[in-house]
Amino acid sequence: MLESVAGCPGMVAAAVRHFRSLRTLRRDHGWIHTLLEEAENERMHLLVCMKTFDVGLGTRLAVMFGQYVFVGFLSLTYLIQPKALHRFVGYLEETASQTYFDLIKTTTTPGTYLHRDWGSLKAPTIAKNYWRMADDSMWVDVLKNLFADETNHRDVNHTFASMEDDDPNPFVQKHLDDAAKAWHLENKEKK
């Protein structure tokens, strides 16, 4: 369920910064892209989980309700105290990181319920496509990717919480490197 609202903070923060940039006619210094990337990545986490496990109407309604409530809270918080929201999200991401670490450990430990239930579970196609995983990837490999993503979100949010609103985004070069790598892979696949 945490993944159902995890995509909200990045989207809210990006929207607030976007509209402030338009109102003030000032640059954002690269934060919007990082925040949108985080929101999109968290959305993919939710889609991967929902495609892997049968999700009923009750869960879908809980997801929608959680998002409506959470977006209002996050918007108000970001308008009043953006650093506080980034710090809060950083701590949420720490919790998510620990949760995924524990899931990986338990899933790979013989004799546990998760090892029994998830040990031979194949990675869904959506995950293999998103993270460019091998065809024989397992659910535990998906968990490892989720863990890596959450640790990155944790670090990004704690970094943003320690910065001033008009400081340049220190993650811009990483985005450029990731884009270059993606273009290289895409061109390689076309050949």
Side-chain angles (χ1 to χ4, degrees), residues 12 70-86 88:
V12 165
F70 213 53
V71 165
F73 165 75
L74 294 171
S75 298
L76 187 60
T77 304
Y78 205 80
L79 287 168
I80 296 169
Q81 190 55 261
K83 286 183 177 188
L85 181 62
H86 285 298
F88 172 70

mmCIF file of all heavy atoms in Angstrom, residues 12 70-86 88:
data_model
loop_
_atom_site.group_PDB
_atom_site.id
_atom_site.type_symbol
_atom_site.label_atom_id
_atom_site.label_comp_id
_atom_site.label_asym_id
_atom_site.label_seq_id
_atom_site.Cartn_x
_atom_site.Cartn_y
_atom_site.Cartn_z
ATOM 1 N N VAL A 12 3.727 16.222 -6.574
ATOM 2 C CA VAL A 12 3.271 17.450 -5.910
ATOM 3 C C VAL A 12 4.402 18.484 -5.874
ATOM 4 O O VAL A 12 4.205 19.647 -6.229
ATOM 5 C CB VAL A 12 2.763 17.135 -4.484
ATOM 6 C CG1 VAL A 12 2.625 18.399 -3.655
ATOM 7 C CG2 VAL A 12 1.435 16.384 -4.549
ATOM 8 N N PHE A 70 -3.624 12.072 0.693
ATOM 9 C CA PHE A 70 -2.197 12.367 0.790
ATOM 10 C C PHE A 70 -1.794 13.568 -0.062
ATOM 11 O O PHE A 70 -0.954 14.365 0.359
ATOM 12 C CB PHE A 70 -1.408 11.115 0.385
ATOM 13 C CG PHE A 70 -0.111 10.936 1.105
ATOM 14 C CD1 PHE A 70 -0.038 10.952 2.485
ATOM 15 C CD2 PHE A 70 1.058 10.723 0.394
ATOM 16 C CE1 PHE A 70 1.162 10.778 3.141
ATOM 17 C CE2 PHE A 70 2.262 10.546 1.038
ATOM 18 C CZ PHE A 70 2.325 10.577 2.420
ATOM 19 N N VAL A 71 -2.373 13.707 -1.249
ATOM 20 C CA VAL A 71 -2.011 14.819 -2.131
ATOM 21 C C VAL A 71 -2.344 16.164 -1.473
ATOM 22 O O VAL A 71 -1.559 17.108 -1.553
ATOM 23 C CB VAL A 71 -2.678 14.683 -3.516
ATOM 24 C CG1 VAL A 71 -2.611 15.983 -4.302
ATOM 25 C CG2 VAL A 71 -2.022 13.560 -4.299
ATOM 26 N N GLY A 72 -3.482 16.264 -0.824
ATOM 27 C CA GLY A 72 -3.825 17.511 -0.132
ATOM 28 C C GLY A 72 -2.839 17.849 0.968
ATOM 29 O O GLY A 72 -2.350 18.982 1.067
ATOM 30 N N PHE A 73 -2.518 16.852 1.782
ATOM 31 C CA PHE A 73 -1.548 17.046 2.870
ATOM 32 C C PHE A 73 -0.183 17.443 2.310
ATOM 33 O O PHE A 73 0.453 18.382 2.806
ATOM 34 C CB PHE A 73 -1.447 15.752 3.701
ATOM 35 C CG PHE A 73 -0.252 15.692 4.595
ATOM 36 C CD1 PHE A 73 -0.199 16.444 5.765
ATOM 37 C CD2 PHE A 73 0.826 14.884 4.271
ATOM 38 C CE1 PHE A 73 0.911 16.393 6.588
ATOM 39 C CE2 PHE A 73 1.938 14.832 5.086
ATOM 40 C CZ PHE A 73 1.987 15.585 6.248
ATOM 41 N N LEU A 74 0.258 16.736 1.292
ATOM 42 C CA LEU A 74 1.577 17.014 0.715
ATOM 43 C C LEU A 74 1.635 18.394 0.076
ATOM 44 O O LEU A 74 2.629 19.106 0.213
ATOM 45 C CB LEU A 74 1.926 15.955 -0.332
ATOM 46 C CG LEU A 74 2.122 14.534 0.175
ATOM 47 C CD1 LEU A 74 2.252 13.570 -0.990
ATOM 48 C CD2 LEU A 74 3.325 14.438 1.088
ATOM 49 N N SER A 75 0.580 18.776 -0.615
ATOM 50 C CA SER A 75 0.553 20.091 -1.273
ATOM 51 C C SER A 75 0.659 21.210 -0.253
ATOM 52 O O SER A 75 1.453 22.140 -0.413
ATOM 53 C CB SER A 75 -0.729 20.251 -2.095
ATOM 54 O OG SER A 75 -0.792 19.300 -3.110
ATOM 55 N N LEU A 76 -0.139 21.115 0.784
ATOM 56 C CA LEU A 76 -0.104 22.140 1.826
ATOM 57 C C LEU A 76 1.263 22.196 2.491
ATOM 58 O O LEU A 76 1.827 23.272 2.692
ATOM 59 C CB LEU A 76 -1.203 21.856 2.863
ATOM 60 C CG LEU A 76 -1.412 22.917 3.930
ATOM 61 C CD1 LEU A 76 -1.797 24.246 3.294
ATOM 62 C CD2 LEU A 76 -2.488 22.463 4.907
ATOM 63 N N THR A 77 1.813 21.044 2.801
ATOM 64 C CA THR A 77 3.136 20.989 3.439
ATOM 65 C C THR A 77 4.198 21.593 2.532
ATOM 66 O O THR A 77 5.032 22.382 2.985
ATOM 67 C CB THR A 77 3.510 19.542 3.799
ATOM 68 O OG1 THR A 77 2.496 18.989 4.637
ATOM 69 C CG2 THR A 77 4.851 19.480 4.505
ATOM 70 N N TYR A 78 4.181 21.255 1.241
ATOM 71 C CA TYR A 78 5.215 21.753 0.331
ATOM 72 C C TYR A 78 5.103 23.253 0.111
ATOM 73 O O TYR A 78 6.115 23.933 -0.047
ATOM 74 C CB TYR A 78 5.190 21.018 -1.010
ATOM 75 C CG TYR A 78 6.540 21.051 -1.695
ATOM 76 C CD1 TYR A 78 7.540 20.167 -1.313
ATOM 77 C CD2 TYR A 78 6.826 21.969 -2.700
ATOM 78 C CE1 TYR A 78 8.789 20.194 -1.915
ATOM 79 C CE2 TYR A 78 8.070 22.008 -3.301
ATOM 80 C CZ TYR A 78 9.045 21.119 -2.909
ATOM 81 O OH TYR A 78 10.293 21.159 -3.503
ATOM 82 N N LEU A 79 3.892 23.763 0.118
ATOM 83 C CA LEU A 79 3.712 25.213 -0.025
ATOM 84 C C LEU A 79 4.249 25.965 1.199
ATOM 85 O O LEU A 79 4.808 27.044 1.068
ATOM 86 C CB LEU A 79 2.236 25.542 -0.242
ATOM 87 C CG LEU A 79 1.680 25.193 -1.613
ATOM 88 C CD1 LEU A 79 0.159 25.281 -1.606
ATOM 89 C CD2 LEU A 79 2.277 26.103 -2.683
ATOM 90 N N ILE A 80 4.070 25.381 2.369
ATOM 91 C CA ILE A 80 4.481 26.044 3.612
ATOM 92 C C ILE A 80 5.947 25.775 3.951
ATOM 93 O O ILE A 80 6.686 26.689 4.301
ATOM 94 C CB ILE A 80 3.579 25.594 4.783
ATOM 95 C CG1 ILE A 80 2.140 26.049 4.526
ATOM 96 C CG2 ILE A 80 4.086 26.130 6.121
ATOM 97 C CD1 ILE A 80 1.127 25.445 5.478
ATOM 98 N N GLN A 81 6.362 24.512 3.851
ATOM 99 C CA GLN A 81 7.708 24.139 4.295
ATOM 100 C C GLN A 81 8.255 22.999 3.424
ATOM 101 O O GLN A 81 8.200 21.832 3.810
ATOM 102 C CB GLN A 81 7.658 23.719 5.767
ATOM 103 C CG GLN A 81 8.983 23.520 6.443
ATOM 104 C CD GLN A 81 9.897 24.708 6.359
ATOM 105 O OE1 GLN A 81 10.771 24.731 5.515
ATOM 106 N NE2 GLN A 81 9.700 25.689 7.221
ATOM 107 N N PRO A 82 8.800 23.331 2.246
ATOM 108 C CA PRO A 82 9.270 22.284 1.333
ATOM 109 C C PRO A 82 10.361 21.394 1.928
ATOM 110 O O PRO A 82 10.384 20.189 1.691
ATOM 111 C CB PRO A 82 9.795 23.046 0.121
ATOM 112 C CG PRO A 82 9.609 24.478 0.375
ATOM 113 C CD PRO A 82 8.949 24.664 1.692
ATOM 114 N N LYS A 83 11.257 21.985 2.715
ATOM 115 C CA LYS A 83 12.329 21.177 3.307
ATOM 116 C C LYS A 83 11.760 20.099 4.230
ATOM 117 O O LYS A 83 12.268 18.978 4.277
ATOM 118 C CB LYS A 83 13.296 22.063 4.098
ATOM 119 C CG LYS A 83 14.197 22.902 3.241
ATOM 120 C CD LYS A 83 15.166 23.669 4.132
ATOM 121 C CE LYS A 83 16.143 24.464 3.313
ATOM 122 N NZ LYS A 83 17.193 25.052 4.131
ATOM 123 N N ALA A 84 10.719 20.449 4.954
ATOM 124 C CA ALA A 84 10.104 19.484 5.867
ATOM 125 C C ALA A 84 9.521 18.310 5.088
ATOM 126 O O ALA A 84 9.632 17.147 5.519
ATOM 127 C CB ALA A 84 9.016 20.154 6.704
ATOM 128 N N LEU A 85 8.912 18.603 3.935
ATOM 129 C CA LEU A 85 8.349 17.518 3.134
ATOM 130 C C LEU A 85 9.455 16.618 2.588
ATOM 131 O O LEU A 85 9.341 15.398 2.640
ATOM 132 C CB LEU A 85 7.495 18.050 1.988
ATOM 133 C CG LEU A 85 6.859 16.951 1.143
ATOM 134 C CD1 LEU A 85 5.900 16.097 1.977
ATOM 135 C CD2 LEU A 85 6.135 17.533 -0.043
ATOM 136 N N HIS A 86 10.534 17.216 2.091
ATOM 137 C CA HIS A 86 11.637 16.391 1.585
ATOM 138 C C HIS A 86 12.227 15.528 2.700
ATOM 139 O O HIS A 86 12.543 14.355 2.482
ATOM 140 C CB HIS A 86 12.724 17.254 0.949
ATOM 141 C CG HIS A 86 12.348 17.776 -0.393
ATOM 142 N ND1 HIS A 86 12.090 16.956 -1.473
ATOM 143 C CD2 HIS A 86 12.166 19.046 -0.833
ATOM 144 C CE1 HIS A 86 11.776 17.689 -2.517
ATOM 145 N NE2 HIS A 86 11.811 18.966 -2.155
ATOM 146 N N PHE A 88 10.639 14.473 5.419
ATOM 147 C CA PHE A 88 9.622 13.462 5.718
ATOM 148 C C PHE A 88 9.670 12.331 4.684
ATOM 149 O O PHE A 88 9.678 11.148 5.031
ATOM 150 C CB PHE A 88 8.239 14.128 5.737
ATOM 151 C CG PHE A 88 7.086 13.183 5.849
ATOM 152 C CD1 PHE A 88 6.846 12.484 7.027
ATOM 153 C CD2 PHE A 88 6.233 12.983 4.772
ATOM 154 C CE1 PHE A 88 5.771 11.609 7.123
ATOM 155 C CE2 PHE A 88 5.157 12.114 4.862
ATOM 156 C CZ PHE A 88 4.931 11.414 6.048
#
